[in-house]
Amino acid sequence: MRSKTGRIAMEESVGTSAEQQPSVETKVKDLTPQSKRVDVLAKCLDVSDPKDIPGKYGNTRKVAEATVADETGAVVLSLWDSQIGSITKEDTIQIRNGYVSLVRGHMRLNVGKYGSLEKSDKALETSTAINMSDKEHEQEPRRFRSGGGGGGGGGRRYGGGGREHRDRDFGSGGDDRPKYMNKGRRRF
């Protein structure tokens, strides 16, 4: 038998990065704020009316919250835009490749663009003794990328691109300078 060497072995190893790890079957009580790539089988107990939420880029998105549970506990599932209306109360659902996010310190199960939400015919007992979304978790402060016009760095001479830079703009004779310093200055 011939061993794989050279180009063929290299081509087969290309698709095995950490990003393409399979999702893991997870019970609701085992979800944590760091949970990613989880498969959850749960029953929908309640669905809220959709709300309009302002998006990152000035657009508006719709979100509804559904309480879902399995035999170990319950959690809030966020349904975004086209997912709204896809499930109703008493539906058993299979979430594949879901993830958990924190909203004001409370866990929310999500189905992102790489995940799926499907109805299931499996019978499922539920327990609401533990609601994983009730517990408040400490949220890490948001980190922003440096290099833009915002907060940290950004390549400007006097630090970030925020208000501090505008206050030190020596060419404009800003409002915070004493009047005697502005005499004889030309304004264009």
Side-chain angles (χ1 to χ4, degrees):
M1 188 161 162
R2 199 171 157 205
S3 67
K4 293 180 183 179
T5 58
R7 193 181 90 216
I8 295 171
M10 189 170 67
E11 287 174 356
E12 288 179 0
S13 68
V14 170
T16 58
S17 70
E19 292 294 315
Q20 296 175 351
Q21 293 177 355
S23 53
V24 179
E25 187 74 33
T26 307
K27 296 293 184 186
V28 170
K29 74 171 179 70
D30 297 327
L31 294 173
T32 67
Q34 293 79 29
S35 294
K36 294 178 181 153
R37 295 186 204 97
V38 293
D39 293 346
V40 178
L41 180 68
K43 188 172 189 175
C44 179
L45 305 178
D46 189 31
V47 181
S48 73
D49 292 329
K51 295 183 264 184
D52 289 331
I53 303 291
K56 278 185 189 177
Y57 305 107
N59 55 343
T60 302
R61 298 186 67 193
K62 288 194 178 296
V63 66
E65 293 183 336
T67 303
V68 297
D70 64 7
E71 65 275 6
T72 64
V75 68
V76 175
L77 170 68
S78 295
L79 300 169
W80 292 93
D81 299 322
S82 63
Q83 296 171 346
I84 297 172
S86 64
I87 63 171
T88 58
K89 187 175 180 178
E90 299 298 318
D91 284 345
T92 300
I93 57 170
Q94 177 68 54
I95 298 165
R96 296 194 191 283
N97 205 14
Y99 66 95
V100 173
S101 64
L102 289 178
V103 176
R104 294 185 188 94
H106 297 277
M107 288 193 336
R108 296 289 187 267
L109 182 59
N110 293 275
V111 181
K113 64 180 178 179
Y114 300 113
S116 66
L117 173 67
E118 302 164 349
K119 290 185 182 181
S120 175
D121 295 331
K122 295 181 183 177
L124 188 65
E125 293 295 319
T126 61
S127 170
T128 57
I130 300 172
N131 189 330
M132 301 301 289
S133 295
D134 285 345
K135 183 180 178 191
E136 189 168 350
H137 297 271
E138 183 123 352
Q139 221 166 342
E140 290 184 28
R142 290 181 134 189
R143 293 189 179 108
F144 296 99
R145 282 186 267 164
S146 64
R156 296 220 178 168
R157 184 173 176 187
Y158 297 104
R163 182 172 170 78
E164 303 83 33
H165 181 69
R166 286 193 309 267
D167 290 344
R168 281 182 265 179
D169 188 4
F170 301 114
S172 67
D175 295 332
D176 59 340
R177 296 169 63 104
K179 286 185 178 183
Y180 71 85
M181 292 180 82
N182 292 329
K183 286 187 178 179
R185 298 195 91 178
R186 295 171 61 176
R187 293 194 181 28
F188 298 99

